[in-house]
Amino acid sequence: MNILLLGSGGREHALAWKLAQSRLLAGADDTLYAAPGNPGIAEHARCVDLDAGDHDAVMAFCKANAIGLVVIGPEAPLVDGLGDALRGASVPVFGPSRNAARLEGSKGFTKELCDRAGIPTARYIRCHSLEEAWGALARFDPPFVLKADGLAAGKGVVIAETREEAQHALDDMFGGKFGSAGSEVVIEQFLTGEEASFFAVTDGTAIVPLGTAQDHKRAGEGDTGPNTGGMGAYSPAPVLSEDLQREVMARIVEPTVRTLREEGMPYSGVLYAGLMLTAEGPSLIEYNARFGDPECQVLMMRLESDLGELMLSCAEGRLGEIEAPRLSDDTALTVVMAARGYPETPEKGGAIDLGTAAAADGAKVFHAGTRRGADGGLVANGGRVLNVTATGASVTEAQASAYAALDGIGFPTGFCRRDIGWREVERERGET
Ligand code: AMP
Ligand code: GLY
């Protein structure tokens, strides 16, 4: 069959790489299309110029090219209802409807769902005006957690140490800093613990776990500096033990899927739960309606099952009929190489020489913000540029392999953190 993958990041490169191995694409005429894609994705897919925001154009493309499955990588087209448009035209799609994607698109929606379904999450107040929000601060102790309700490209959460800082941040939010995403704000209790992510695929009824991961959100080593989309990740996250994973399924993921189904907005696609492992057990920080980036890259390195079949069975509502996805016991770890200045003002156009990294033993270099320059060479074209990914029997081993591959890359205007995986490396060191 023909498959269309939407997106252009490292997440989509990893999905394209894995989809290209699917039995669904084994026929001589089967084609994987990607829109818009990037030079890495182009190694596995035919990249086409198609705007995911133009639903008519996407549907016309699907019709003209007999697309049997559309995979939506990023959140914006999901929240914008592309999934609904495609389902309306009977095109199988991997990704939730607009209504169900509010799990990511509206913090307030998710908090209220947690109330209705009895899901553990931080105590909160939804605020619709600056006055209301300033008033609500009195009901919390510092640090204050302030969240713009809507999509804000991962920048909509402010943790303010003092009341003055919180008031300033609220002024900014209601003043339009995040556009309409900030016209409503959730203020919530600060939770302490270690963060980890849990992934599950669901067709609205059946739910299959798809592994765990830990991200590194801060730009600087030792988890310092500004927040980013993620500077590196590894999977599995041993801190989410089998027992904790069962608890997350039973107390968080299953009630979410059941409640959405019962309320007439069944969720279909991947559900990404951001968790805080508190002393009282796992608490939901947020949901995303898509794979994490760069968490997807490490999950795909470990996935042994056929990704195309998994996604198609999910899209067609028969996830309960297929074998549960298998993941390797190995650890996968990815290091993000970003352009100097990221996240504020990433430098574009810096030359990249992949050197020997691509050939390094077991390592994969996923492209995120890259493009081909006039001479055909690779140049930086975004904040996060490359994801150097490797596997190993432990986080320590996977980390060593990833950095060995990374050190073979020439990217003078790039930078990376040298400590991805540090928590787990420290724990592994303690055990030996
Ligand atoms: P989110 O976009 O909701 O994932 O929030 C971004 C980051 O803010 C999270 O990864 C956490 O590090 C932090 N955060 C969000 N909510 C809380 C909370 N209630 N308590 C402590 N930290 C939080
Ligand atoms: N890496 C965090 C995210 O994808 O939201």
Side-chain angles (χ1 to χ4, degrees), residues 193-214:
E194 188 165 337
E195 278 183 65
S197 306
F198 180 86
F199 297 84
V201 171
T202 174
D203 60 7
T205 306
I207 310 171
V208 294
L210 196 68
T212 60
Q214 265 182 315

Side-chain angles (χ1 to χ4, degrees), residues 107 111 122 145 147 154-159 188-192 195 217 227 274 276 284-288:
K107 307 269 185 205
K111 296 302 275 191
V145 182
K147 301 186 171 183
K155 301 185 181 75
V157 176
V158 174
I159 314 261
E188 67 179 42
Q189 169 206 3
F190 182 82
L191 299 172
T192 45
E195 278 183 65
K217 284 189 200 281
N227 256 327
M276 187 69 86
L284 180 72
I285 299 180
E286 64 160 359
Y287 268 129
N288 294 308

Side-chain angles (χ1 to χ4, degrees), residues 142-231:
F144 300 97
V145 182
L146 317 170
K147 301 186 171 183
D149 182 75
L151 289 187
K155 301 185 181 75
V157 176
V158 174
I159 314 261
E161 298 297 333
T162 65
R163 192 169 305 276
E164 290 67 42
E165 222 184 291
Q167 289 172 338
H168 272 299
L170 289 169
D171 287 348
D172 285 347
M173 285 179 176
F174 283 101
K177 185 174 178 191
F178 301 113
S180 60
S183 61
E184 184 181 329
V185 169
V186 169
I187 303 182
E188 67 179 42
Q189 169 206 3
F190 182 82
L191 299 172
T192 45
E194 188 165 337
E195 278 183 65
S197 306
F198 180 86
F199 297 84
V201 171
T202 174
D203 60 7
T205 306
I207 310 171
V208 294
L210 196 68
T212 60
Q214 265 182 315
D215 189 12
H216 299 63
K217 284 189 200 281
R218 302 295 199 95
E221 274 154 33
D223 295 331
T224 55
N227 256 327
T228 70
M231 294 299 291

